[in-house]
Amino acid sequence: MPLPPRLRRRAVIALAALVVGTLLASFVLAGCSGGGDSGTASSADSAGGSTGGGSAALANPEAAPDPGNSGRASDSGSTTGESKTTQDRTDARVLPAGRDIIYRGAIEVKVKDLARAVARAESLALDVDGVVFSEQTSADPSHPKAGDATLTLRVPPTQFAATLDALGRLGKELSRNRSAEDVTTQVADVDSRVRTQERSVERVRALLAKANTIGEVVSIESELSRREADLESLQAQLARLKDVTDLATIDVSIYSPRPGGQAVHETDQNLGFLSGLRGGWDAFVAIVLVGLTVLGAVIPFVVTAALVGLPAYLLLRSRLPPGPTATPATPDPAA
């Protein structure tokens, strides 16, 4: 049965509205899904690019962008890290963990400019928080750059080997000596004795506070003084051990020869009138000393021979028979 025209129009309009609504819903859903996928993909690409860039930068530092100071700071940080690692390894090699070691060294260097070398040696010690313990310099007035110098440097044990190497580069290294002495047991022993003596002193002081008579006070004070003296001696020993283990000792000998190659201590001071007079006087004194030495060695024998030989000679002479007496000649009357 055919539908009336009015119902037919309503059905067509409803169908058209349904189709249009369906298409609009499809487009909306497709757009949201596409936008979400695109955003996710963009985020993933962004994250992946960032991660990939970071990985690439780690894998190949040269391929990473160098944003000015930032790149240099990164390189500096890497270099600092490597230096710190090297220093830590050096410290571990030089200073074993938990050990007290005394480091001593000696080095002799020949240089061209004495004053400059001495100043550089002092700077090497001060740059590593060390000290110049002593210094003795002998310069030649006629040659300002020539002379001899002896220094004693105290540096941290971690800088001991590096300082020796730096001192050797001041000029021509002639000799080097280095030694290490483990005093861990000695330090532990003295430290234990110090703590024991401190407790002993505290006990005696407690007894002194409880003394009632003058005799007890005098006796306890005498014992307290003795124990305090022992404690101070032990503390001084411990301080000395701590000092020689906290800072290594380096004896430095530096000399600069004269332009002719002769060192200052090899001068020609044996020339001239005064030098000759001094040499002659020294020879005269040496001869006199030798003569007095010989005379001192002979005197005991001479005295012994006189004491024994003279009485024996007199005794023998007294026992000898008298010899024939010579008669005086009689004058001849005829003559």
Side-chain angles (χ1 to χ4, degrees):
M1 172 177 183
L3 293 175
R6 186 176 179 180
L7 294 177
R8 190 182 305 169
R9 285 195 305 270
R10 290 182 177 177
V12 171
I13 292 172
L15 181 61
L18 179 62
V19 172
V20 170
T22 302
L23 292 175
L24 290 175
S26 299
F27 282 122
V28 169
L29 292 177
C32 292
S33 175
D37 292 343
S38 174
T40 304
S42 299
S43 300
D45 292 342
S46 175
S50 175
T51 306
S55 301
L58 292 175
N60 187 8
E62 295 180 357
D66 185 7
N69 296 332
S70 153
R72 288 193 293 272
S74 175
D75 294 341
S76 175
S78 176
T79 304
T80 303
E82 293 177 358
S83 301
K84 184 176 181 181
T85 303
T86 304
Q87 182 65 34
D88 292 342
R89 292 176 181 174
T90 303
D91 295 349
R93 185 181 74 251
V94 175
L95 286 178
R99 311 299 297 179
D100 295 298
I101 300 177
I102 300 175
Y103 291 96
R104 295 188 181 92
I107 189 169
E108 184 178 1
V109 185
K110 178 182 177 182
V111 299
K112 296 181 179 179
D113 191 336
L114 179 66
R116 183 177 180 181
V118 170
R120 179 56 181 158
E122 294 176 351
S123 298
L124 289 174
L126 298 177
D127 289 344
V128 295
D129 296 330
V131 295
V132 181
F133 195 73
S134 66
E135 177 184 344
Q136 183 178 0
T137 304
S138 176
D140 187 358
S142 60
H143 300 86
K145 294 185 178 181
D148 302 325
T150 303
L151 299 90
T152 299
L153 308 180
R154 304 290 306 281
V155 298
T158 55
Q159 303 294 331
F160 175 68
T163 304
L164 271 178
D165 294 338
L167 290 170
R169 291 191 292 269
L170 292 177
K172 181 179 180 181
E173 182 177 338
L174 302 179
S175 65
R176 178 190 297 200
N177 296 316
R178 55 185 297 177
S179 64
E181 180 183 359
D182 192 343
V183 293
T184 305
T185 304
Q186 187 177 354
V187 170
D189 177 65
V190 176
D191 183 62
S192 176
R193 292 168 61 188
V194 166
R195 286 186 276 108
T196 301
Q197 194 67 20
E198 287 175 346
R199 291 192 294 268
S200 176
V201 169
E202 291 299 327
R203 288 194 299 269
V204 175
R205 286 175 178 172
L207 291 175
L208 180 61
K210 297 178 181 179
N212 297 322
T213 64
I214 296 178
E216 291 179 352
V217 171
V218 172
S219 176
I220 295 175
E221 283 184 344
S222 176
E223 181 64 20
L224 179 61
S225 299
R226 185 182 66 81
R227 297 195 183 191
E228 286 179 341
D230 294 341
L231 176 60
E232 291 175 358
S233 176
L234 291 173
Q235 289 174 339
Q237 294 180 29
L238 183 61
R240 172 61 180 169
L241 289 173
K242 291 295 184 181
D243 177 66
V244 295
T245 54
D246 289 344
L247 291 176
T249 303
I250 303 177
D251 295 323
V252 186
S253 297
I254 304 175
Y255 89 92
S256 177
R258 287 185 170 186
Q262 188 179 28
V264 173
H265 57 272
E266 297 174 351
T267 57
D268 52 356
Q269 295 180 355
N270 57 340
L271 300 179
F273 174 76
L274 294 178
S275 298
L277 182 61
R278 183 169 53 251
W281 175 256
D282 292 340
F284 174 74
V285 171
I287 293 174
V288 171
L289 290 177
V290 171
L292 292 176
T293 302
V294 173
L295 180 60
V298 170
I299 283 178
F301 296 95
V302 174
V303 172
T304 302
L307 293 177
V308 175
L310 184 58
Y313 172 73
L314 295 176
L315 181 61
L316 291 175
R317 185 176 179 181
S318 63
R319 291 186 178 183
L320 289 176
T325 303
T327 57
T330 305
D332 188 359

